[in-house]
């Protein structure tokens, strides 16, 4: 079980951190909970919803099918993240991405009318909510730019930098990444074959940038060199 897994959903969401205990309790009273097993679909692209989905524990991936029928992972989300925000601002909106649990996951559902009331009573939450959405849009643009370059090392470097920020743990002068998805899912995230990913990771290891620890962990030993590789996208 993850630390603090018994905490109410609102306490685990950064945009709610400014709320009082009473306000937290009011939100807790109106959220609904659902539990999903690893690999289970949470919501499907094209499905209608009137709720905000908040991750209480676990991790999920948001993806869509390409015109070739292949999965393209767009976002990886973890505890305290949310999705389905478009459902809160537009009536009859359908999901533009599908959501799947990448490990056993608990989701808190907050209905549109309840979230509207929360934002009306707490304007600062509206501002934080907008900042989070804006950051997510910027990530989507960055992903599009990364996928546009043909250089596989740039794609992998930017993915690892993202994983450092979201899933990394400081270990002395290094960063330990517990990979949130499988090699096959990584392939669909960066648009490369598994063989290419393995080859390029081995090359990064030979350069002293990282150490591969089994199939589920990567130790980033030189984030600066990784950043330099990723920044070459700016010249694209």
């Amino acid at each position: 079980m993850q630390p603090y897994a018994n905490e109410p959903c609102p306490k685990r969401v950064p945009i709610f951190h400014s709320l009082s205990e009473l306000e937290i309790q009011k939100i807790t009273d109106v959220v609904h909970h659902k539990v999903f097993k690893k690999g289970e679909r949470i919501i499907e692209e094209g499905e209608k919803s009137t709720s905000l989905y908040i991750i209480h524990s676990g991790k999920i991936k948001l993806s869509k099918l390409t015109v070739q029928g292949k999965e393209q992972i767009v976002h990886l989300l973890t505890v305290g993240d949310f999705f389905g925000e478009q459902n809160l601002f537009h009536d009859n909106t359908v999901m533009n991405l599908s959501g799947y649990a990448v490990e056993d996951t608990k989701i808190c559902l907050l209905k549109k009318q309840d979230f509207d009331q929360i934002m009306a009573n707490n304007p600062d939450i509206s501002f934080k909510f907008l900042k989070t959405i804006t950051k997510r849009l910027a990530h989507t643009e960055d992903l599009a730019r990364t996928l546009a370059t043909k250089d596989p090392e740039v794609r992998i470097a930017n993915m690892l930098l993202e994983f450092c920020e979201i899933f990394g743990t400081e270990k002395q002068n290094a960063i330990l990444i517990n990979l949130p998805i499988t090699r096959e899912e990584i392939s669909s995230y960066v648009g490369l074959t598994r063989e290419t990913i393995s080859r390029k990771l081995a090359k990064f290891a030979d350069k002293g940038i990282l150490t591969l620890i089994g199939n589920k962990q990567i130790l980033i030993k030189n984030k600066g060199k990784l950043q330099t590789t990723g920044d070459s996208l700016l010249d694209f």
Side-chain angles (χ1 to χ4, degrees):
M1 181 176 291
Q2 298 184 22
Y4 314 112
N6 292 323
E7 280 188 335
C9 264
K11 280 199 170 185
R12 313 203 84 193
V13 183
I15 64 171
F16 293 149
H17 283 176
S18 62
L19 297 182
S20 67
E21 289 295 325
L22 179 59
E23 290 168 324
I24 290 288
Q25 187 57 51
K26 287 180 179 179
I27 300 175
T28 302
D29 290 340
V30 297
V31 297
H32 302 278
H33 302 93
K34 285 189 175 182
V35 176
F36 297 88
K37 294 293 185 182
K38 179 180 179 180
E40 190 174 355
R41 186 176 65 215
I42 298 169
I43 194 164
E44 187 174 9
E45 182 180 355
E47 185 177 337
K48 288 186 178 181
S49 176
T50 58
S51 297
L52 183 71
Y53 294 74
I54 301 169
I55 304 175
H56 182 272
S57 61
K59 297 180 180 67
I60 71 135
K61 62 178 180 180
L62 296 179
S63 62
K64 68 187 299 110
L65 291 178
T66 67
V67 292
Q68 292 81 22
K70 295 182 179 180
E71 181 187 45
Q72 173 61 59
I73 297 176
V74 180
H75 296 292
L76 292 167
L77 305 179
T78 187
V79 174
D81 287 329
F82 57 81
F83 62 99
E85 61 274 3
Q86 68 271 23
N87 306 326
L88 304 181
F89 297 103
H90 304 285
D91 294 329
N92 299 317
T93 298
V94 298
M95 292 293 294
N96 62 348
L97 299 170
S98 295
Y100 294 87
V102 298
E103 62 184 41
D104 291 351
T105 297
K106 182 178 180 181
I107 296 288
C108 302
L109 297 170
L110 187 60
K111 292 292 185 182
K112 180 182 186 307
Q113 60 267 29
D114 294 319
F115 191 71
D116 286 347
Q117 189 63 46
I118 293 167
M119 290 199 296
N121 295 335
N122 301 275
D124 61 315
I125 287 181
S126 302
F127 178 68
K128 292 176 182 178
F129 190 72
L130 182 60
K131 282 183 67 176
T132 302
I133 293 173
T134 302
K135 184 177 180 181
R136 193 169 295 171
L137 288 172
H139 168 269
T140 303
E141 292 176 355
D142 289 343
L143 178 62
R145 291 183 64 205
T146 298
L147 293 175
T149 179
K150 295 181 180 180
D151 190 333
E153 291 186 15
V154 172
R155 295 189 188 188
I156 295 171
N158 279 282
M159 178 198 69
L160 291 175
L161 288 168
E162 177 188 349
F163 285 2
C164 282
E165 181 180 349
I166 302 174
F167 306 110
T169 302
E170 296 283 347
K171 295 288 185 181
Q172 296 179 339
N173 295 322
I175 300 173
L176 180 66
I177 300 172
N178 288 300
L179 292 174
I181 52 179
T182 65
R183 291 291 179 94
E184 184 175 350
E185 289 171 320
I186 288 174
S187 176
S188 72
Y189 194 30
V190 295
L192 298 169
T193 65
R194 293 178 62 180
E195 292 75 15
T196 298
I197 292 168
S198 296
R199 188 168 62 251
K200 294 303 180 183
L201 287 176
K203 183 176 180 180
F204 285 163
D206 289 341
K207 290 182 176 180
I209 296 175
L210 56 81
T211 296
L212 299 171
I213 306 174
N215 290 323
K216 298 298 293 182
Q217 292 183 318
I218 297 178
L219 186 68
I220 305 299
K221 298 191 293 186
N222 194 326
K223 188 179 178 183
K225 284 187 177 180
L226 199 62
Q227 186 73 58
T228 300
T229 302
D231 284 346
S232 64
L233 176 62
L234 299 176
D235 300 324
F236 175 71

